Amino acid sequence: MGLARLAELHGVATTFSPAKGVTVAVPDATVVAVLAALDIDASTAEAVRAALDRAERAAASRLLPRTVVVWQGADGERAGVPPALTALPAGTTLRVTTEEGRELSWTTPRNTDAQTVAAGTPGGGTPQGTGPAPAHGAKGPESAARVWQQLPPGVHRLHAAAPDGRGTDAGLVVAPARVPGPDGRSHGFLVQLYSLLSARSWGMGDLGDLAELATWSGRSLGASFVQVNPLHAAVPGAPTDPSPYRPSSRRFPDPVHLRIEDVPEYAYADPADRRRLEELRDRAAELRESVLDKGALIDRDAVWELKAQALEIIHGIPLGPGRRAAYVDFVAEQGQALEDHATWCALAEVYGSEWHDWPAALRDPRSPQTAEARAALADRVDFHSRLVWLTDEQLAAAGRAAREAGMEAGIVHDLAVGVHPGGADAWAQQDSFAAGMSVGAPPDAFNAHGQDWGLPPWRPDALAASGYAPYRGLLRGILRNAGALRIDHVMGLFRLWWVPVGSPPTEGAYVRYDAEAMLAVLVLEAHRAGAVVIGEDLGTVEPGVREALSRRGVLGTSVLWFERDWAGDGRPLPPARWREGCVATATTHDLPSTAARLTGGHVELRHRLGLLARPLEEERTEETADVTEWLAVLGELGLLPEGPGDEEGAIRAVYRYLLRTPARMVGIWLPDAVGDRRPQNLPGTWDQYPNWRLPVSDAEGRPMSLEELAASPRLHRLLEVFAARTAPPDARPS
């Protein structure tokens, strides 16, 4: 009982439900290990009693929770006093220190209702401070709700001092009620950027290709957005993990996505350097042609080897005065975070990309030895800082291209759920990550063995203690060039499944985060950036999560094949009953393409790779029945005028169906537009399948360049479905 109570006080669940009506106990050993990762000793009964006593005394003495959230009302509505503060002792003095350093203070009334602040007398309720104060100098009583609602948006500090001598500090997040939303209904493309090669790519899609795709699809097809895979910095090395969802850093982009010729200094190479750059470009053309014309897989490592050599040459070309000033400003703006990232990159060149194997002193980013190494490697630190700046510039250029093409949302960036344990973020922010833990998923009806994603989780206590600084910095970094943000596994804002390293995923436990604080910071930063937010909320979702996200304006993700009346007859959900607040699509990067789904090709593929949990015929029969039922619904609704047996027509019918739903955004999986049958990623495989290495291809498996895609009759036939429903009146003909 003591262990369970201790776990509860620290947000660690001792049970989980893999299916409705089923409750499974978490092993005590797991609970002890998770608590240890939070610096709580529960290894013996005596340790549990001592830790529980400390925790309960600390909870009883706190006047405030670790974080207080104030939601500013929408449409002129005003929220009341934060619930966490309504029970404060009368006469408690409150002091807010804002992000800008201004201070406001007031005292809760001693002889009136706790919801009222007496104004006009020092210490009697009038906020005192150096900045704008709520009703400063007002006469008579004023609503305490007004005091809170007139605080500036931001992440502030709040101190409470009670008359009995108790004092408590807390974070204070003041946020708008909702994130910005799309103005109307829209459609756009979903694509893995590396898979989209143009005639100018160096063996994989790049940011120049992204700008071209945005410009073409926005101007010619009326598209409102392009959603891409995470562009986070990868862990260097050969072979590099090609998954964009296990990066070294989520705070900074990967320079492998640079369009080398678009770096301004490229044009100023001297003749000798120009010859070397042209040789590298010729070798890159061979890589590109091997993918597009010879059936080779995308080789990220080979691409980076060539780009790195080119960037080393470009790094030796002096920046002009204006460019130098812009770079210096960027470095200053990014501050410690960029210095840490570039230092890790420089050290990784010397000691390898797994910082746990570095000399002991260098494992600490704040050690004197690390400072000495940074100084000794100053040129390499500058090189990696410069690469981040150049990539940021091209990300910004892609965003501008999207806006200039008339796109409302523009580029939708993707935020991975975590980072590689040996990478830059895990090194630089060690205090924020739970050592010895890995994020995953518990066993459920679809995966009896659970999942371990190999990503260290953030410590909820460390986030709260820092005022969510790591989370805020992450969001600001990715939102600076995003028109919208997709959050992978958005349920992680509420809780994550922690697996002790070395244990099977079945022996994990859920650890809860302060979801209201996480959402408030997200809404605040998205509002500052003017960005739409999309949550990937597929799979098992805890009750109340989708409702909480919807209340804050976060769009969900709805995939056609999963939208059934699960609480009723199990049949396909009628279009009118779909939720409005979502991106509706036919598939994702982890699922079969629509052509593969319609033909059953994905079942055969999984069978060949030994991934089926049941006999092939059972899987095939169930899949055929599922597709047949959906096709019948499409036919009944008059969405399949091409009739049965027309694969291309059926794909168009699927997207016609999505347009019948009230979904605010409809995402077109770009490979669907040309009949591609291969998934970009096949969960459950590593080297058995070429995950994250396939170019967009046509129905026969022939890779297609961006130029060929733009001219594809099949793609334009599919987009005619959207032209009639969502194209702006001034859209140009394709």
Side-chain angles (χ1 to χ4, degrees):
M1 186 66 181
L3 181 62
R5 172 61 180 158
L6 182 63
E8 179 186 9
L9 287 172
H10 292 282
V12 181
T14 54
T15 63
F16 70 96
S17 299
K20 189 175 182 180
V22 178
T23 300
V24 177
V26 173
D28 284 354
T30 296
V31 176
V32 170
V34 171
L35 287 171
L38 296 169
D39 297 329
I40 308 299
D41 182 8
S43 58
T44 65
E46 292 77 11
V48 168
R49 285 193 293 270
L52 186 57
D53 179 63
R54 287 192 300 272
E56 290 183 329
R57 280 191 287 109
S61 67
R62 285 192 67 87
L63 292 169
L64 303 170
R66 289 181 178 274
T67 307
V68 175
V69 172
V70 174
W71 295 105
Q72 295 183 317
D75 301 324
E77 297 177 2
R78 295 295 183 185
V81 175
L85 276 68
T86 57
L88 286 174
T92 297
T93 297
L94 297 171
R95 183 178 71 251
V96 173
T97 304
T98 69
E99 283 183 340
E100 295 80 16
R102 293 176 295 176
E103 287 195 356
L104 307 170
S105 62
W106 63 96
T107 303
T108 60
R110 294 178 181 276
N111 300 312
T112 58
D113 187 283
Q115 293 294 316
T116 302
V117 175
T121 57
T126 302
Q128 308 293 329
T130 58
H136 187 68
K139 299 183 182 295
E142 96 178 316
S143 166
R146 186 179 174 195
V147 173
W148 291 103
Q149 284 299 308
Q150 290 187 4
L151 288 171
V155 180
H156 315 307
R157 295 301 297 172
L158 173 64
H159 177 78
D164 61 10
R166 287 181 296 157
T168 301
D169 289 301
L172 173 63
V173 185
V174 180
R178 296 169 62 85
V179 300
D183 291 337
R185 297 198 67 202
S186 63
H187 69 275
F189 285 117
L190 318 178
V191 64
Q192 301 284 288
L193 180 57
Y194 60 83
S195 72
L196 184 68
L197 286 73
S198 73
R200 297 175 181 175
S201 304
W202 283 33
M204 60 182 280
D206 60 34
L207 293 171
D209 298 322
L210 178 58
E212 288 280 0
L213 174 63
T215 299
W216 162 65
S217 61
R219 292 181 182 277
S220 298
L221 304 176
S224 290
F225 62 91
V226 173
Q227 177 181 306
V228 294
N229 54 285
L231 304 181
H232 309 317
V235 177
T240 302
D241 183 346
S243 172
Y245 290 92
R246 201 165 181 249
S248 170
S249 174
R250 294 187 296 174
R251 299 187 293 173
F252 297 104
D254 197 321
V256 76
H257 300 112
L258 282 168
R259 170 68 63 82
I260 298 297
E261 295 89 337
D262 287 351
V263 176
E265 285 66 43
Y266 182 91
Y268 300 107
D270 62 30
D273 284 343
R274 170 68 63 184
R275 285 193 296 274
R276 292 168 60 201
L277 288 169
E278 289 177 352
E279 289 171 3
L280 291 169
R281 190 175 62 183
D282 290 344
R283 289 165 60 189
E286 294 174 3
L287 280 180
R288 178 181 64 246
E289 291 162 6
S290 70
V291 173
L292 291 176
D293 301 331
K294 301 176 182 178
L297 298 175
I298 293 168
D299 188 340
R300 182 197 180 283
D301 293 338
V303 172
W304 176 239
E305 181 181 351
L306 296 179
K307 288 192 176 183
Q309 293 180 55
L311 290 166
E312 293 282 4
I313 296 170
I314 292 172
H315 185 62
I317 301 172
L319 297 173
R323 293 276 291 162
R324 168 61 63 180
Y327 173 52
V328 169
D329 283 351
F330 178 81
V331 171
E333 178 187 0
Q334 298 300 312
Q336 186 71 57
L338 178 58
E339 184 176 83
D340 285 344
H341 177 75
T343 299
W344 182 91
C345 292
L347 289 170
E349 291 178 336
V350 179
Y351 299 104
S353 58
E354 173 51 78
W355 64 267
H356 295 92
D357 297 333
W358 292 357
L362 299 182
R363 298 172 202 163
D364 178 1
R366 304 291 168 253
S367 72
Q369 292 86 347
T370 298
E372 292 172 5
R374 180 184 298 117
L377 295 169
D379 184 65
R380 301 310 299 164
V381 172
D382 178 71
F383 174 71
H384 291 290
S385 297
R386 184 92 63 92
L387 297 191
V388 172
W389 174 57
L390 294 175
T391 311
D392 182 81
E393 284 193 318
Q394 291 194 10
L395 284 167
R400 285 195 302 273
R403 291 191 299 274
E404 291 168 1
M407 286 190 162
E408 179 193 347
I411 308 300
V412 183
H413 286 266
D414 198 351
L415 178 63
V417 71
V419 295
H420 194 287
D425 285 1
W427 175 74
Q429 299 178 315
Q430 292 172 48
D431 292 344
S432 298
F433 290 98
M437 293 290 139
S438 177
V439 174
D444 55 30
F446 301 99
N447 193 326
H449 302 294
Q451 299 176 59
D452 183 346
W453 302 331
L455 310 169
W458 266 335
R459 290 179 53 156
D461 57 337
L463 288 178
S466 69
Y468 291 86
Y471 178 48
R472 289 154 52 204
L474 169 62
L475 290 174
R476 287 187 182 183
I478 195 168
L479 285 169
R480 63 184 279 120
N481 294 310
L485 177 65
R486 174 192 181 270
I487 300 178
D488 192 45
H489 193 71
V490 73
M491 296 82 80
L493 300 181
F494 296 76
R495 64 178 185 176
L496 283 172
W497 183 254
W498 288 22
V499 181
V501 173
S503 297
T506 52
E507 296 178 9
Y510 274 118
V511 176
R512 190 161 294 283
Y513 294 76
D514 185 339
E516 187 174 34
M518 297 286 278
L519 276 174
V521 172
L522 172 64
V523 172
L524 174 66
E525 296 300 339
H527 207 272
R528 285 171 164 170
V532 173
V533 178
I534 302 158
E536 187 269 298
D537 57 352
L538 302 174
T540 302
V541 183
E542 184 183 11
V545 167
R546 287 195 175 107
E547 292 77 7
L549 293 169
S550 177
R551 189 161 56 249
R552 299 303 164 203
V554 177
L555 302 179
T557 302
S558 294
V559 177
L560 179 132
W561 309 99
F562 301 152
E563 292 296 315
R564 289 177 171 270
D565 184 6
W566 298 113
D569 58 15
R571 284 183 48 76
L573 197 66
R577 289 179 56 192
W578 281 45
R579 54 182 170 170
E580 179 182 354
C582 75
V583 176
T585 185
T587 190
T588 73
H589 58 268
D590 282 333
L591 296 172
S593 68
T594 304
R597 179 81 67 174
L598 291 168
T599 61
H602 69 105
V603 176
E604 307 297 332
L605 173 62
R606 290 165 57 219
H607 171 65
R608 290 197 303 272
L609 296 175
L611 298 177
L612 297 183
R614 298 181 298 174
L616 173 61
E617 285 308 314
E618 284 186 32
E619 290 278 352
R620 189 182 283 152
T621 298
E622 181 175 300
E623 185 67 19
T624 299
D626 183 65
V627 170
T628 299
E629 186 174 28
W630 271 105
L631 289 174
V633 168
L634 297 175
E636 291 165 5
L637 293 174
L639 302 177
L640 193 54
E642 296 87 350
D646 187 325
E647 178 188 313
E648 183 184 342
I651 293 174
R652 288 198 294 271
V654 163
Y655 284 97
R656 291 186 185 110
Y657 184 95
L658 295 179
L659 285 171
R660 285 279 186 97
T661 74
R664 299 296 298 279
M665 300 170 73
V666 176
I668 308 162
W669 179 237
L670 183 58
D672 272 356
V674 289
D676 198 343
R677 295 170 184 259
R678 298 182 297 181
Q680 284 293 311
N681 177 51
L682 195 58
T685 62
W686 178 244
D687 55 2
Q688 308 99 308
Y689 185 80
N691 296 318
W692 319 113
R693 289 175 286 172
L694 294 171
V696 176
S697 301
D698 64 15
E700 285 70 46
R702 185 183 66 84
M704 299 186 71
S705 67
L706 174 57
E707 292 82 2
E708 291 172 316
L709 283 164
S712 166
R714 178 165 179 162
L715 181 146
H716 286 284
R717 286 194 294 269
L718 175 61
L719 268 294
E720 287 172 2
V721 170
F722 291 83
R725 299 295 296 273
T726 60
D730 59 347
R732 298 182 182 182
S734 58

